[in-house]
Structures are given as structure tokens and as C-alpha cells.
Amino acid sequence: MKRDPLLPLRDKLDAEKLSGGPKHWRSVEHKAGEVDIEVEFPSGTGPLTAVQRRDVLKLAGATFALAGAAGCIRRPEDEIVPYTHQPEHIIPGIANTFATAMPRSEGGLGLVATAFEGRPTKLDGNELHPSSLGASDVWAQAEILKLYDPDRARAPLSGGKAVTWADWDTFAKTHFAKYAGNGGTGLAFLLEHDEAPTVERVLAAALARLPNSKVFRFDPLFPANTHAGAAMAFGAGARVHHDLTKAKTVVALDSNFLVEGPEHLRLAKQWGLGRKSKNIDEARGMNRLYAVEGALTATGASADHRVRLSSAQASAFLRAVVGELAKANPAVNAAWGGPAPAGTEKMVAAVAKDLLAGGLVLVGERQPAAVHALAHAVNAALGAVASGAMRVTAVPETLPAGTVADLKTALDGKAVETLVILDVNAAYTAPGALGLAESLKKAQTLVHAGVMPDETSKLATWHLPLAHFLESWDDVRGWDGTAAVVQPLILPLHGARSRVSLLAQVGGADKTDDRALVEETWATLGGKAWRQALHDGVVAGTAHADNAAAVLNADGVGAAVASLTPPALSKDAVEVIFSYGHVLDGRLSNVHWNQELPDSMSKLAWDNALMVSPALAKELGIASGVYKNRYAADVVTVSVNGASVDVPTFVLPALGAYTAVIQRGYGKSTGEVAAGVGVDVAAIVPVDGRVAWGAKLTKTGKSVDLCSTQDHFAVPDPMNELTFAQMSGSQGDERMLHLGSRAIYRKNTLKLYEEKPNFAHEGDIPANLVVAGTAPHQPLKPLQPTKAFDYEGQQWGMVIDLTSCIGCNACTVACNAENNIPSVGREQTLLGRELHWMRIDRYFTGDVDDADALHMPMACAHCENAPCEPVCPVAATVHDEEGLNSMAYNRCIGTRYCANNCPFKVRRFNYLDFTVTGNVYRDPHQAERHETLKLQRNPNVTVRYRGVMEKCSYCTQRIEEAKVAAKRRGEDRKQLKDGAVTPACAQSCPTDAITFGNINDPTSRVHALKKSDRNYEMLSELNIRPRTTYLARVKNTNPEVG
Amino acid sequence: MAQIFPKWTNEIPRLSALFVGFAATFGTCAIWYWASPKHTDVGYAPTQPIPYSHQLHAGEYAVDCRYCHANVEKSAHAGVPPTQVCMNCHKQVKADSPLLEPLRKSWADGTLDKDGGPIRWKRIHKLPDYAYFNHSAHVALGTGENRAAIGCATCHGRIDQMVVVKQTQPLSMSWCLECHNNPAPNLRPVEELTNMSWKQDKAYAAKAKQIARSLDPPGRTVGVREPMLDPAGRPVLDEHGHPVIIQRPTAGCTGCHR
């Protein structure tokens, strides 16, 4: 057994600090001291698959072939292939950026796409677009990989067989001519809800021609309750927008508004702005966030107070707050009030008091429309409209459309002969209770147009490859109505057609060219404004107008609220929440970046599982947990509403006691990446909701392994593993190192920050600490090396603000896209070999049942005293003159000593050739099909081969680009302006939690943050002097409940 | 009984040891020389699809390098001209030369899927994929008075005298670093960038030294070690009474390797 280095100090140290196990814990098992993980390089490999055996033979063959060839080939012949007709604006080696936009269920998002020689490689947010403000999220970033997905259909499929577009045109001409004759009787369209102007216009024209045809809409991601709630409060067509810069207090009621839902990027940015501070004076103005939730979301983790209540009880909490508010503010209708859920009385009073001083209640999509309406009523009564914190706009009427349930009725009643589906995977995403897949088979002709072939296209008579939004002309409307034109960056890779064209074709229009149709929609703009709109990525002045006439329908709200009857929960009647994670409803399941991206909370990758609370797990005898290097999960049968499904369980601290959460989008049967990953839970999804109540969980006795990265790359625990404590033993009591406060993650409440502005540095080892030599004649030796560093010129550094980091993972995907980071697949992730340069560590503190979750982004910290450098036998990792810890891949021989010596555990090793043969697309026979993926790669970053170490480079390619650009202009490349270089992570961050720049430039933002009293070095006791430092988190807790 | 081996055979092990020693030395030297880019790459002059003569165009007709290699000041890649650029002249000049048949074909149906397509030139100057060389960073460098350039001829040789272009420099890492450690001899005024016959005179050589001092080029292999001075200019001492030495790392790998 490892000797306890703290043994001589045990009795002197704060007993409480030591007895509770680690202060910040990664998993339930880590807290209990049971985790038995080889944190560095887990031993063992996966079983050799047949494919791998073939690889061995292939490699052996290649070795001989190369050995023979190397002798006679002088050098490989290479070609330069210039253009014949030079396209305008394309300079090989220089990236072009274009504004475009992405259609989304919750309103389109403006993006800026980067393209090299005509191939898009990266997507970022558009600063001019009101829903993005320059930020992007994991889903937007992932679209670039979806564009190049090798599984996309190369030709239309008729009855599963590849045919040509000419065949389709011939079929369409005769088939749809029939409907032109009968006014469209028997013809139906199924679309998503994205309010795109041209699609709406083309559809309206089709309906005018075919008045008897039907339109149905189905989109599991459409915020239907949010939409209906606004209509309930302010009348049909109303939409409510919030402005968090005008709210001191925000109450998130079962809402993950920072990461998902309409305008979440803007809301996150505004919320982050309200939390920025360099010192206590600025921190006093901080906003306060209360989260009331049963699921554990990123918003809950970011909140100052998290009230653990089930989704069912959320409405009761709000009603209790309303009752409290009514006492102080006569504008609030006391009739809407109600009793507080047990144990929340104090919190209700505190929330009400804060709201009275100016606040907003935001309600999540899971809550019924009545709760949304009630929140709008409360916000309005508290003067949010007057203060500008809330805005009511009028949304123009959309075409009348049926729901998916109506579609089923129509299909079953044989009222639909031909169903045209535009990129809706209804057979997979429709609630299982509906049994839509069976009904779809009843349509005589099922035409499915989709970017990816999917479960629905399997049932379809025709599958038509749909152009990705980066391949077609289109337009979108943001949630606030701002229109943006979708500009194609590339011609359709596989000859796909755009949705606008296809809709026009089946609707019988003469004109089907997508560009012409979009231009026609915006014909009123005129040439200059049109070009400006394309350039900016937004059409000026198209946001929905404020609805000045909006009057609160108090009676309607009152009646709806009164009818709410929250169900009671128990261990036999659990509430099951269906959430949409990184793969959404399955539309991004085949994007391996998102599959491999660990969930913000559970850190599950390549898997979905039923999250259960530790209390429920105990009651039901569920023993899922970490054993050795794997997460062994008990499989339970979830039975609800007469349907059941077997799912593995994951014990997640801080969940509501009887709340269970599971992500959708897994267990798909199509897609080389997605097929067979996780479990499809559609069977138990209720028809009209994201929550099922009254579920019963029964153990099946089976157990499976889950892929969770929560214990991967664990940073050594300063409490137990650092031997500096032994050294300090000789220093006497006054030299006592405050081990407890030398935490990796440092945080405090605003009140204690006020008392101790230096809290982030408590317990740091004094820089001049010396220890006596072992023999009397030896001089005092410094505990830490005193090598001096020269800070001349440009010195790069980064500060990550833990107060505003929301753990949304956007930085990780941005880093993947920018730095050509391959995914390693599920098997390799289980072995701890994922290659993400940027990871987000999630820690818990406190009691398992009511833990606080913390997020800490981790990437190479570019230590000045980098421990990785002296151990490299070939000097493959060395410092450069601007403070970067650079990594020369071509020098690396793969000893892995550096990763072993890295205390942050941020170095990644290519165990296999993950880029070509070892990635998630393993079948070598398909290698040619996978060529499309190469088009995504950033030409400015080396593609690494097997046996090479890699890590965050501070996006050195961007630094070099900026320096060369300065050089071209004749400016000093050693004095770049602040903001000239932004790494991919900082660029994508919705809350601007990551700041990068020259720490030597007194005018730079990063310099100012480094001077903040909250700025601390992680593991400063090792004297490694990391260039990435953190701003300790300040929680603005309410002293009355806090 | 007579000895089976005569006495001189005793020398065999010694001689063979000597031979092995010589062979190893020769082998090392041979690989050192013949496998280095100085030998393997210098002189590489592949046959191009069109026998384009730089001697004629750049030498005799004195067409500026940047007429064809137009991106050299804008991008990492100098660029090989599109067919379009060739046709600017060759629509009129030598419009029916049989040697230019591939050019006309490329111009006539210049799509990839058709037979003509772009002209596939053989690459002569090639760096490994992990080395990121940037032309635009070399053709104009320094700021203000210290603005200078590395001429085309410095790395590519007297292109104006080459009928068939060949590689004249090894383009190896050590060759790059030679100049990065001492750029002065290779600097020239920006206006003389494409002048093939320009040579430094004495006055410019002195100026070049001054410019080189201001440059601090990336990839420098010579690090800095100097005593740390306090504000008063005295050396700072550590607890043992030794002067504290500032170590500035050599300029890094990241300039070229990312």
C-alpha cells in the first residue's frame, strides 16, 4: 500500500478536511476513496478484431514492399496542379470566410464558414447575428463534419437501389402531375419547424396550386411549449424574448437556457457579461442565478443556488414564489400562488425577494405551456417589459399544419397516398407510443429527402439525397425573426439537391433553382442590400416587430395554472426526462466528434444511459459504478405507459431523488458511426412531452460497460498525492501548508470574497520557501528552482474564468475542428485514449445527494518550468521564445515520458493511426469512401501519425498566421495588437470565459485578468508556472439562504 | 602433424576488425553525404509536361517572377500560374506551336472530368508536410528602415539561366537554419526581390548586418544566456551568491512546425 505522505501531519491538519475524502471529487467512487483507476496509461488493450488481424498482415506486406521500393526511388514525384481558369478571390493557402446560416428548430443561427481553396473546414458564430453574437455551440460546429459524412447517399435511392436524378425527374413528372389534376388530394408534406422564408413561400405557392394537399410538421427539437406558453400569455403569434443584461436575478425553472433552447448563445453571452469581474469592486455588481431542476444541467452547475426539485414540482415552486411576490407587489395576482414544496420555503422567500429587486424567471421547454405563461405573467408584473428585460414580439402567422399525431391518423385513414418528407427522420424520432413507423408504411409512395439516409429512408419508396446547408441556397429566420441567407460554400458533394428545389419540384413549380428562388424571396431588397445581406449574414431590419398591443391574458393564465396537477413521485413512480445531448434527436449521431464528446455532466461518451440519483440507486439496489478501469452499469427495465425498454443506468450525484434522465438520439440502426451505439428509448417517449411520469424501474440482473471519461486523465489530488507535505513536515507548525485550500478548483462566495479578497491564494506555498539540507553543513536549499525567466517581448498566456465557464463543450469541438483531432472510437475511449486537446473536467463538491458540480476546462498550460521538457530524450517538446511549449511531431519518438510527467494530464498519445486506419471508420475496404473526411482538415495543422504525442498548441498556426500577416503589412510581428490572435476555443466560447493574449502587453485583456486577485495557478506548489491560469469562481450566493 | 592453417591466418581477425572499422566509417560518411538532401535533392530537374523555359521568359524577355507566381507576396504558396495566365500571351504568341498543345487543350476544356483539365506540373521544390514554409514571410521582412527581402535567386538559384528548372539548394532544415542564424548575407532591398543578378555591395552588406540584428528570425538555434540585472544594473545574486542567469530559449519550432 502506498504510504500516506500526510501521516506525520494527520493530527495537526483540520480533521474535517481530511476525513471527508477529497474535497473535489470526480465520481461517487472517487469520493468514497474506492476508485481504482490507472490514471495515466491504463494497461490492456481491446480484443484483436478480425479487421485488426488483417491490418497486421497488411502492414507486414507493406513493410516488405517499402523495404524493396526505398532502395530505388530517389524521391516521390509530386505534382502542382494549378487552376485552368482562376476563380476570383481564391489564393491557395489563404482562407476565405463567408457568412452563412444554419437552419434550426429553435430559429436559424448565423455562422461564418472558413474555406480553403473552396472547401469549408470550420464553422464559427457570426458576430452580426443576434442569436450568435460570435459564439457557436457543439451542434453548429459539428455540422462541418456532417457535410463530409461518408455515409451520405451518393445518388437517389429508389426502393433501396441507387438510381440517377434523371430517373427521379421522370418519376416526379408523371407522379406529381396526377396531383396537379386533382388539387393535391392524397398528397401530404412533412416538414420541420424552422420558419424559413423561402421554404414557407415555396410551400405556400404549392398549397395554392394543390389546395387539397396537407402539410404536417414534426420536429422533436422545436420548443413547442415555449411557443405555446407565449401564445397563452399574450395571444396567438406572440413570442417572448429575454435580455439578461437587464436582469439582476435570473431564476431558471427546469431550464438549461445557457446551453440549449431558443437564443441560448445570446443568453449565455449576456449572462456571462453579468459575471465578469477583475476585482471585488466589479464583482459586487454580479448577477445571481437560481436554478430549480431535477435533472442536472450545465445551467444548474453554473447557478449560484441550485434547488433540487423534480420537473413535476417546478410549477409548484413557481406558484409558491408567485404567492410570496403577491404579498409585496399588488401587480402579481395572488390567486396564481400556491404552497411551497416541502423544504423550499426559505428559498422561495429568498427568490421572491431577489425577484422584486429586478429579475426574470426563465422556464425550460420541459415545463407545460401554462408554466411558461405564468412566468411571463410574473415577469410582466415585475416590470420586466418596462425595464427591457422582456420583450414581446409578434410572429407572422405560419401556414396551418397538422401535428405528427394528425399525420398518423391521416396515414391510418388512407387519406395520404404520397407523403413527401423533407429531412425529418420521423420513423426514428417520433414518440414510440404513436407507432408512426408502422403507419408510414401505409403510404403508397413515401418520398424521403434527407441529408443522411436514415431509419425513415429505409421505409421510403424514394430516398433523395438532400444538400447540406453548406451546399445549397436557402434562408432562415432566427428566433427573433432576423432573416439570414444561407450561402453555399461548396457545390453539392454527391450531386444532392437543396430542399427548396425539391419542394418546388414536387409542388409543381416551374422554377426549381434554389438560388433563383431565394433571390426571388428577397427581390425587394435590390442589388446592394442583397449583397450586403450576403456579406453580413443577416438581412437588416427583418427582426419581428415589438408587439406593443400585447396584453396579458390574465384569466387564461389563471385557469391554466389552476389546472396544473403535478404528479406525485416515488421509487415506483419515477419521472423520466428525455433530453437532447450532443447528438440531438439523432441528426448528429453519425458525427463522431459529438459521439466522442463527453457529456457535460455524466462525462459519458459513445453511450447513453438512464441517469439515476444515488438515493434512488440505493433504494432499488442499483450498483452501477466504477470497477477497475470500467464503468459497470446495471441494466434496468423502465416501464411506463404500458411500454418498456431496457437501459443501462449511471449514478449521477445531485439529481432529483426520483428524477431519471436519458438522452435520445442513440440506438440508431443506420450510419457507420451511429449504428448500435447506445439505446433507443423512443418506445417510452410519451406523445406530447419530454417527460414521462410514473415510470417503474426493475433490475434485469444484467450489467454492461459504459464509456465514461470522468476518471480519465485525473489530475493528482493535492490532498493525498503530493510529497511536498513531507518536506513541509520539517518546517514546524508555522510552515504548515494549507493543504485544504490548495485545491485544484478554487471558489468562494461573493460575501467571503469581500472579506478575503485574496482567498484564491490562501495556502499557496510562499515563493521563497526553503528547506534545510539533510546534513548540518549543507546550506539552505530552495524548495523550488529559482531559475529566472526573461519576459521580453511577446509572451502568450491564457486566463480561464471559472465564474463564467458553463461547461458547454463548445471549445472542445472547436479545437477538434481547428486542430485536426481525430476521434478514436468507443473501444479506444474505454481505454482512456481519447485525443481531445481540450477537455472539461467536471468535479463535484459536497454531499453526493446534493452535490455542486464544477467545470474546469483543461488544456496544455504551457508551463514556464514545463515538467514535460526535461524528460524528453529527443527534445521534441521545447519552449519557444514567446513562451509556447511547442511540440515537434516529426521529432517525437513516442516514449510518452512527457505525458507521464505532466501534472495536468493534458498530453495525448496516438496509440494507433487514428486519422486513417484507426479511427471510427475502421473498415479498410471502405477507405476510398472515407476520403471525403479529409476535406475537413485544416491545412495549417499537421496531421499526426501513430506513435506521436500531441497537445494544445495555443493554436500556434493562428499565431503564426497573425505574425506573417503583420510582417506582410510591414508591422512588427513581435508586437501584435491585442485580439490579433484568438485560439479556436476562445473564439467559440459563448460566455467569453477564455481570454488569450500577450501577458507582457500592459494594455491586453489577458494582462489585466492576470493581475486580478482571483487569478491563480493550478498546482502552483509544483512551481511549474503555467501560462494558463484560472480566475477562481465567485458564487453570488444569497446570504439569507446561503 | 602439420598445422592446418598457416601462420598468416592469425592476422585475419585483426585485419577484418580493421576492415569493419573502415567499412563502418566509410558507410557512415557515404550515407552522410549521399543520403543528405544536398546530394539527393540538389540538381533535381524533372521533365515538365510543357518544356517551359525560364531562361527564355524570365531571362531573355525579363518577365517579372510575380507575373506568373503572383501570390508570392500574399500567401504561403508563391503559386503556379493558372492556364489563363499562360494564355494571356499565347493566344497571340506562338498560338499554333505544337509544344503548346497541352496548354491549348487545358484552356479549351479546362474541367477536371474532361480530358484536358489543368496542366499537371512536376513539383521541384518540395518540403515535408510538417514543415510550413511561407513565401510571403520571406519576400518582405523587418519593419520601417529595416525592411528587406530574401531574393528569389537566393533559394531558387539563377532561374533566369535555366532552360529546365532544377533545384539548386538542399532545402534541408540545417540549410534553413544557416540563414536563420545569420541572415545578413542573404538580405537585399525589397525592390531587388526578383532581380536575379543582384549582389550585395559593401555599403549594403553593412546595412544588412544592422537589419539582421533587428530581425530575430524564428527558428534561431542559438539560445541566450546572460546574467540578470537589477534596475541599478548590478547582477542579481541567488542564495548561494551566484549570479542568476537568464535563459532565453532558442527561437522555437513553432515558426515552421505546427
Side-chain angles (χ1 to χ4, degrees), chain B residues 138 141 150 154-155 173-187 212 215 217-220:
Chain B
H138 290 82
L141 36 89
I150 308 288
T154 307
C155 307
M173 184 163 156
S174 65
W175 173 81
C176 292
L177 291 177
E178 257 170 49
C179 181
H180 273 241
N181 281 325
N182 181 22
N186 298 318
L187 296 176
L215 287 178
R220 195 165 33 80

Side-chain angles (χ1 to χ4, degrees), chain A residues 325-619:
Chain A
L325 287 172
K327 289 180 197 163
N329 187 337
V332 179
N333 190 340
W336 301 336
T344 61
E345 296 80 1
K346 261 181 88 179
M347 193 59 85
V348 165
V351 167
K353 200 171 158 195
D354 272 354
L355 279 178
L356 283 169
L360 276 178
V361 181
L362 303 186
V363 180
E365 178 54 30
R366 273 193 289 279
Q367 292 297 319
V371 182
H372 286 264
L374 178 57
H376 297 326
V378 171
N379 290 338
L382 292 174
V385 178
S387 74
M390 185 166 101
R391 213 158 58 84
V392 184
T393 58
V395 185
E397 267 181 58
T398 48
L399 297 164
T403 64
V404 68
D406 300 337
L407 172 64
K408 185 188 157 63
T409 317
L411 282 166
D412 290 347
K414 302 273 177 192
V416 175
E417 286 169 19
T418 300
L419 178 62
V420 179
I421 304 179
L422 271 191
D423 215 14
V424 183
N425 186 6
Y428 171 79
T429 52
L434 219 52
L436 187 69
E438 282 308 307
S439 303
L440 283 173
K441 290 177 190 158
K442 292 179 187 156
Q444 286 162 16
T445 311
L446 188 61
V447 179
H448 174 259
V451 176
M452 300 287 300
D454 53 30
E455 287 78 359
T456 310
S457 63
K458 273 188 178 171
L459 304 175
T461 334
W462 282 89
H463 169 68
L464 305 174
L466 199 65
H468 189 268
F469 72 84
L470 290 169
E471 298 171 330
S472 51
W473 285 94
D474 205 337
D475 48 18
V476 297
R477 260 187 204 287
W479 187 250
D480 72 335
T482 303
V485 179
V486 178
Q487 268 196 100
L489 268 281
I490 189 169
L491 279 171
L493 284 174
H494 311 298
R497 289 191 186 170
S498 79
R499 62 174 184 172
V500 177
S501 299
L502 281 173
L503 191 61
Q505 185 186 16
V506 298
D510 307 326
K511 206 192 284 178
T512 58
D513 179 54
D514 51 348
R515 177 172 186 162
L517 286 166
V518 173
E519 280 181 343
E520 201 175 272
T521 307
W522 300 104
T524 50
L525 281 180
K528 200 174 170 204
W530 163 254
R531 282 195 302 277
Q532 190 69 38
L534 290 183
H535 174 272
D536 293 350
V538 288
V539 187
T542 45
H544 296 318
D546 275 10
N547 183 5
V551 182
L552 186 73
N553 174 10
D555 297 340
V557 173
V561 169
S563 67
L564 287 173
T565 45
L569 305 178
S570 71
K571 81 175 170 58
D572 295 320
V574 174
E575 99 182 343
V576 178
I577 290 174
F578 302 97
S579 70
Y580 297 97
H582 295 147
V583 301
L584 294 176
D585 60 345
R587 62 187 77 188
L588 293 175
S589 293
N590 214 43
V591 174
H592 54 73
W593 285 346
N594 285 27
Q595 284 280 6
E596 193 151 309
L597 192 64
D599 178 71
S600 288
M601 289 303 156
S602 63
K603 294 282 139 193
L604 274 185
W606 291 103
D607 265 320
N608 64 340
L610 187 74
M611 304 291 143
V612 293
S613 65
L616 182 63
K618 210 169 174 184
E619 277 189 68

Side-chain angles (χ1 to χ4, degrees), chain A residues 86 92 790 880 942 968 973, chain B residues 75 84 136 216 248 254 258:
Chain A
Q86 176 73 34
D790 180 26
D880 78 1
T942 307
R968 279 197 287 264
R973 72 181 202 287
Chain B
S75 166
Q84 198 176 349
S136 70
D216 194 15
R248 199 185 308 154
T254 42
R258 310 161 181 169

Side-chain angles (χ1 to χ4, degrees), chain A residues 290-307:
Chain A
Y290 293 91
V292 183
E293 60 179 19
L296 179 60
T297 66
T299 305
S302 309
D304 300 304
H305 287 285
R306 180 170 175 270
V307 185

Side-chain angles (χ1 to χ4, degrees), chain A residues 74-75 77-80 82-84 86 92 94 782 790 792 880-881 890 939 941-942 967-968 971 973, chain B residues 40 74-75 82-84 110 118 120-124 126 130 132 136-137 147 216 239 248 252 254 258:
Chain A
R74 195 170 174 215
R75 60 183 267 173
E77 210 167 75
D78 210 1
E79 282 175 340
I80 299 179
Y83 291 101
T84 48
Q86 176 73 34
I94 300 282
D790 180 26
E792 246 184 20
D880 78 1
E881 75 280 18
N890 40 316
V941 178
T942 307
K967 217 169 171 181
R968 279 197 287 264
E971 293 165 12
R973 72 181 202 287
Chain B
T40 56
K74 300 175 203 151
S75 166
T83 309
Q84 198 176 349
R120 308 183 84 87
W121 300 96
K122 296 276 176 284
R123 179 187 278 274
I124 300 163
K126 183 177 188 311
Y130 51 76
Y132 286 84
S136 70
R147 197 84 169 143
D216 194 15
E239 65 281 358
R248 199 185 308 154
T254 42
R258 310 161 181 169

